[in-house]
């Protein structure tokens, strides 16, 4: 009995898009022979690959530049940190500062004396010869100006601060204290809620500020005059003054170059 024919997988039909079919196709008579059609595609692929290589080189150069900058900037920050830790910056005035201040005060005194003398000479030229009384008066004024300038120069050269004795708070009668308390309560009732009891410390601070403004007798007060450490610091005083100025209870005046606060009271 003859052996059976072994099973064989049938051959796959050639794809219409295969290279072999394309090269043997008769539908396109002007098609390049063999693999000649790959030449333009490979040339374009080579150009794109070259452009990709150039871009990658640019990215590599950018990365190198960033690394160099980061290293240099971090070194600079480290040097600044070490400099701040090792170099001592003097905050108080030195001897040279007082010498310079005394020299400037003396120069101002000489300038003031020269100006007065020039004014005196101008009066003499304009009005003729002055009498003895006028001459003595002008001489006394010149001497006073010179003495005041020299005293100011000497006081400037001394180190330390001179404590100014503040006037005591005027004593109030029980009736005046009651009226003062009612006036303060009326002012606080017109302020925002945080000043009306939600924060007892803030209410006590604003009462202290209001009392100082009331005791100023119409004189403008600087912010530093209302500071009472440690409870009533500058930040608390500033917060209270902002609220009072916004309600137009206190007016802020800086026309003289110094910020002064004037008491006005609750507007009607």
């Amino acid at each position: 009995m003859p052996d059976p024919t072994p099973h064989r997988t049938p051959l796959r039909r050639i794809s219409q898009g295969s290279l072999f079919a394309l090269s043997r196709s008769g539908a396109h008579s002007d098609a390049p022979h063999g693999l000649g059609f790959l030449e333009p595609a490979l040339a374009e692929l080579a150009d794109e690959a070259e452009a990709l290589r150039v871009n990658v080189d640019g990215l590599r150069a950018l990365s190198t530049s960033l690394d160099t900058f980061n290293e240099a900037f971090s070194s600079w920050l480290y040097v600044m940190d070490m400099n701040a830790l090792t170099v001592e910056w003097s905050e108080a005035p030195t001897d040279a500062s007082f010498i310079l201040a005394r020299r400037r005060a003396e120069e101002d005194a000489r300038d003031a004396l020269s100006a007065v003398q020039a004014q005196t000479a101008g009066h003499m030229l304009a009005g003729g010869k002055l009498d003895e009384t006028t001459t003595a008066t002008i001489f006394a004024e010149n001497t006073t100006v010179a003495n005041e300038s020299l005293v100011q120069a000497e006081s400037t050269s001394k180190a330390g601060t001179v404590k100014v004795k503040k006037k005591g708070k005027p004593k109030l009668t029980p009736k005046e204290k009651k009226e003062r308390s009612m006036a303060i309560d009326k002012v606080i009732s017109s302020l925002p809620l945080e000043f009306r009891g939600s924060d007892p410390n803030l209410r006590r601070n604003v009462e202290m500020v209001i009392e100082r403004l009331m005791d100023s007798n119409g004189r403008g007060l600087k912010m530093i005059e209302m500071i009472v450490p440690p409870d009533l610091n500058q930040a608390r005083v500033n917060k209270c003054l902002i609220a009072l100025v916004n309600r137009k209870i206190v007016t802020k005046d800086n026309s003289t170059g110094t910020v002064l606060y004037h008491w006005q009271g609750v507007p009607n």
Side-chain angles (χ1 to χ4, degrees):
M1 183 177 179
D3 296 333
T5 305
H7 179 73
R8 293 185 177 88
T9 302
L11 297 177
R12 180 181 294 178
R13 191 178 64 170
I14 298 175
S15 175
Q16 295 295 330
S18 65
L19 299 178
F20 181 75
L22 185 58
S23 63
R24 298 175 64 88
S25 175
H28 303 280
S29 58
D30 56 345
H33 179 69
L35 300 178
F37 71 95
L38 292 176
E39 182 178 357
L42 291 176
E44 185 177 357
L45 178 61
D47 295 339
E48 295 297 333
E50 180 66 19
L52 177 62
R53 185 188 66 80
V54 172
N55 294 334
V56 170
D57 292 341
L59 290 176
R60 188 179 296 109
L62 178 61
S63 177
T64 303
S65 300
L66 289 176
D67 291 339
T68 304
F69 171 77
N70 291 336
E71 183 178 359
F73 189 66
S74 61
S75 300
W76 180 76
L77 291 179
Y78 179 77
V79 169
M80 293 296 292
D81 191 13
M82 292 299 103
N83 184 58
L85 294 176
T86 55
V87 177
E88 181 180 2
W89 301 95
S90 57
E91 298 180 358
T94 60
D95 295 338
S97 302
F98 292 108
I99 294 174
L100 181 60
R102 184 171 62 252
R103 186 182 306 166
R104 289 177 177 174
E106 292 175 355
E107 292 177 356
D108 293 340
R110 286 195 296 267
D111 294 340
L113 185 59
S114 300
V116 173
Q117 291 176 352
Q119 184 179 4
T120 303
H123 285 302
M124 293 179 65
L125 292 176
K129 186 177 180 181
L130 300 177
D131 56 4
E132 294 181 357
T133 304
T134 307
T135 305
T137 303
I138 295 175
F139 180 77
E141 292 178 355
N142 296 345
T143 306
T144 303
V145 171
N147 291 336
E148 290 178 355
S149 302
L150 291 176
V151 169
Q152 183 180 3
E154 292 177 358
S155 61
T156 306
S157 62
K158 294 181 181 180
T161 58
V162 178
K163 295 183 179 179
V164 179
K165 186 177 180 180
K166 296 182 179 179
K167 295 183 179 180
K169 185 177 180 180
K171 294 183 179 180
L172 301 177
T173 62
K175 181 180 179 181
E176 291 176 344
K177 288 182 179 179
K178 185 177 181 180
E179 293 176 353
R180 172 70 64 85
S181 178
M182 294 176 61
I184 292 176
D185 291 338
K186 182 179 180 182
V187 172
I188 294 179
S189 63
S190 64
L191 296 179
L193 181 61
E194 60 178 336
F195 294 92
R196 300 201 300 265
S198 60
D199 188 354
N201 294 328
L202 187 58
R203 180 185 175 91
R204 184 169 61 253
N205 292 336
V206 74
E207 288 178 355
M208 296 173 63
V209 172
I210 292 172
E211 287 181 355
R212 286 185 175 273
L213 289 169
M214 286 182 172
D215 294 336
S216 64
N217 296 325
R219 180 179 61 89
L221 292 182
K222 301 178 183 178
M223 181 185 297
I224 194 173
E225 298 180 35
M226 292 176 272
I227 297 175
V228 182
D231 296 334
L232 191 58
N233 53 25
Q234 183 175 357
R236 289 272 184 165
V237 172
N238 187 38
K239 186 174 182 179
C240 296
L241 289 175
I242 290 175
L244 294 171
V245 171
N246 289 338
R247 291 294 188 272
K248 297 182 180 179
I249 301 172
V250 175
T251 57
K252 182 179 180 181
D253 180 23
N254 57 356
S255 59
T256 60
T258 303
V259 179
L260 298 176
Y261 295 90
H262 299 270
W263 176 257
Q264 301 296 330
V266 179
N268 297 326

